Amino acid sequence: MEITGKIIAVLPPRSGVSARTGNPWMTQEYVIETHDQYPKKCLFNVFGEDKIKTFNIQVGDEMTVSFDIDAREYNGRYYNDIRAWAINRNVATPVAAGQEGMMPGATSTPFPPVSDTPFPPVADPMTAQPAASSEGSQDDLPF
C-alpha cells in the first residue's frame, strides 16, 4: 500500500534489546498528512537503525511511503502496525505547483460549466387542470 503527503511530525526513536535473541533493535515513528480535500493523517514506523538513517525523513518532506499493515495481539488487545519498507521523495507537488489544497492531477475547475438554458417551467399544481380521463369519469381527483 502507499500514501502520499507531507511529513508533519518526527517522533523520537525507540530502541532496546530483544528478549528472545538478545540483539539490539531501533524503531522510529512519523506522521504524514495527505493533500486530499479533507486531509488525513497516518502514523507509520520505520524499523531498523540502517533504514532510519537511509530514509533520513525530516519534517516538511513531501514523499510517497510504501508500507505494510499488520495487527499484533498484546494482553488480549490488538494493535495495528503500519511499517514503511520504501519511500519515494516527491519533487513536483501540488503545493509547488501553486495548487495548495488540491489533489494531484486536479484541475482548477472541478465541475463542468453550467448551461445557460434554465430548467423547463413547472406548472403550479393549484392552477393546473387535471388531465381528462379516458373512462369518462366526472371525478376531479387526478388518480
Side-chain angles (χ1 to χ4, degrees):
M1 301 180 105
E2 290 185 341
I3 188 168
T4 301
K6 179 180 180 179
I7 300 297
I8 61 170
V10 177
L11 304 176
R14 293 180 296 142
S15 60
V17 177
S18 171
R20 188 172 46 113
T21 63
N23 295 332
W25 57 268
M26 179 181 267
T27 186
Q28 190 163 9
E29 295 177 322
Y30 307 88
V31 179
I32 190 168
E33 184 175 47
T34 65
H35 296 295
D36 298 333
Q37 181 179 2
Y38 302 105
K40 303 278 190 275
K41 296 178 181 85
C42 178
L43 175 77
F44 68 93
N45 69 54
V46 175
F47 188 83
E49 187 175 3
D50 57 333
K51 283 188 180 177
I52 293 170
K53 289 180 180 179
T54 301
F55 292 164
N56 190 27
I57 300 172
Q58 303 296 320
V59 172
D61 288 352
E62 294 283 341
M63 59 181 52
T64 299
V65 179
S66 300
F67 59 90
D68 290 325
I69 300 176
D70 193 20
R72 58 186 167 77
E73 185 267 336
Y74 180 73
N75 289 339
R77 295 191 62 183
Y78 283 86
Y79 300 90
N80 287 324
D81 185 29
I82 302 173
R83 184 165 296 170
W85 52 270
I87 65 163
N88 182 17
R89 296 189 190 280
N90 299 339
V91 178
T93 64
V95 175
Q99 299 176 350
E100 186 171 347
M102 295 181 65
M103 292 178 58
T107 62
S108 61
T109 55
F111 300 104
V114 178
S115 172
D116 291 337
T117 308
F119 289 106
V122 178
D124 183 9
M126 299 304 285
T127 61
Q129 297 295 323
S133 174
S134 62
E135 298 174 4
S137 171
Q138 301 299 323
D139 204 4
D140 286 345
L141 297 176
F143 49 93

